[in-house]
Amino acid sequence: STENSTTESSSEDKKQNFTEYDKYKDQKLALFGEMKTGSGAEAKVNDKVGIYYKGYLTDGQVFDNQWPAKPGDKPKAFEFVLGSKNIIPGLQQGLVGMKVGGTRRIIVPPS
């Protein structure tokens, strides 16, 4: 089992200019970058992974949130098998190669 995490603080949410991500809307593949490289095992297709995440629209609105409402509460990881058909391809593309304990920003275009 591989567990990966991605997070952003609410104060960082306000600092972001999410309209910059509009330039990626015509891409065919997800784009991603390490914000913090993990030190654990690397996620591969067919691994069971667990992630914590926040999903944003390009206007900065959070549309999905796997984080607790109150500081100190531990959220339940979103678990799935990397490569399974029921998870959006862009999310999976951005997770392959991520290491346990790391943080990534993944930009998933509409396609």
Side-chain angles (χ1 to χ4, degrees), residues 59-103:
D59 65 2
Q61 177 185 346
V62 175
F63 70 86
D64 198 4
N65 187 357
Q66 192 65 23
W67 283 101
K70 296 183 291 184
D73 286 353
K74 182 160 173 94
K76 181 174 178 354
F78 173 54
E79 296 181 340
F80 59 94
V81 174
L82 199 52
S84 56
K85 295 188 187 315
N86 56 341
I87 305 300
I88 63 169
L91 178 60
Q92 297 198 59
Q93 291 165 9
L95 292 175
V96 171
M98 188 174 178
K99 293 183 178 183
V100 172
T103 303

